[in-house]
Amino acid sequence: MKPKGQLPPGPRGWPIIGNMLQMIINRPAHLWIHRVMEELQTDIACFRFARFHVITVTSSKIAREVLREKDEVLADRSESYASHLISHGYKNISFSSYGENWKLVKKVMTTKLMSPTTLSKTLGYRNIEADNIVTYVYNLCQLGSVRKPINVRDTILTYCHAVMMRMMFGQRHFDEVVENGGLGPKEKEHMDAIYLALDCFFSFNLTNYIPFLRGWNVDKAETEVREAVHIINRCNDPIIQERIHLWRKKGGKEMEEDWLDILITLKDDQGLPLFTFDEIRAQCKEINLATIDNTMNNVEWTIAEMLNHPEILEKATNELDMIVGKDRLVQESDISQLNYIKACSKESFRLHPANVFMPHHVAREDTTLAGYFVPKGKTVNDIGLMSSK
Ligand code: HEM
């Protein structure tokens, strides 16, 4: 039995700053944390950065306790310069704490944007992009007389970006159409900015733990996130503004065709627009950030594992031949029958979990994890759930 109120074990820290200095000296932070946890032989640890305590978890059993059993009590998020800017003041789902706004946007995401009706309405977009990616790969193979290797990551990124753009904005390119099926210069800029924003959000940043340093641009972190958000806004905003004008001033269209149409046309109880321009920008940015990297990682790892295990690749190919055959391309409706390939994807999630760090979960009230005490509030409140190595 652990004594009541005992925090998880952690490395000894300095007065006031805690483990801050060790963390800065030993970057990258996540590798140092894994090392410390191995030395302490623990699956749950507590690090102190100034007045904040961060509890890290590496076992799937405790992760289940965080995400399933204690999901509601650990549903708040921690505040940071990056998440504040990216979410336009916590107007999205992933960076905002539990509360009315979080419940509303989550409900809209699950019951409107991701509803079976919307998904079937937007099937055409995904079909176009499935065809485009096959043509793109075919064209890449045909370039020149020598067969060239295909960069799997670039190909998947191109596909994920294009699908996200179609579902969100109903168009694949911001302005000029690129004929070879790849990303145009503006889409590349958009993608780079999305990755820069993700990096800024997930990196260890001193000012998240010493708030009075905010505004001093420590490590140039603030400039970077501002630049990323500026580029994403420059790409997204004209489309959003024009579409708001179309729906709210010029009578709209016959029906909603994509996620942006839905966000603009939703009404509150009084029949007024549910979301403001800033709220719509925040949802769009959230979808920009949430849909590409995780999906790309899973496909890339699955293909990498298959290439390293040719017998698995052969089984997957046989399944495709059996269910789809060689006379047509795979359709979304085939997926329910492609059980072996789905199992491969799930296995690669197990071997290579989604994020090194997930967004922090913060305790809304005192609780326990693996028998250790996790108090509510400002002192001990961040749960950085780390993937196991
Ligand atoms: C293979 C693909 C994906 C993976 C592996 C993935 C993984 C994750 C993970 C690990 C989280 C954090 C959960 C937590 O902190 O409790 C998350 C949150 C989220 N994801 Fe995904 N995701 C994927 C695709 C998507 C897509 C396609 C969308 C939207 C169209 C999306 C929207 C979100 C949102 C809105 C959140 C925040 C949820 C919340 O805070 O309650 N994700 N995702």
Side-chain angles (χ1 to χ4, degrees), residues 61 68 73 77 115 169 185 187 208 211 263 274 307 317 351:
K61 189 164 170 243
R68 289 249 167 113
V73 74
R77 297 293 195 198
S115 73
F169 296 134
E187 290 76 63
N208 295 347
L263 291 172
L274 187 61
L307 292 175
T317 317
L351 293 171

Side-chain angles (χ1 to χ4, degrees), residues 67 77 93-94 102 106 109 114 259 286-287 290-291 294-295 298 349 354-355 358-359 361:
L67 295 170
R77 297 293 195 198
I93 308 173
S94 39
W102 180 84
K106 189 137 182 162
M109 169 76 80
M114 291 296 191
W259 284 338
E286 168 147 272
I287 288 169
T291 49
N294 281 325
T295 321
N298 180 251
F349 269 133
N355 285 334
M358 300 212 326
H361 286 241

Side-chain angles (χ1 to χ4, degrees), residues 315-324 337-341:
K315 272 194 193 173
T317 317
N318 288 344
E319 183 179 68
L320 278 176
D321 287 345
M322 219 166 66
I323 307 284
V324 181
Q337 294 183 73
L338 296 170
N339 291 329
Y340 186 76
I341 292 176

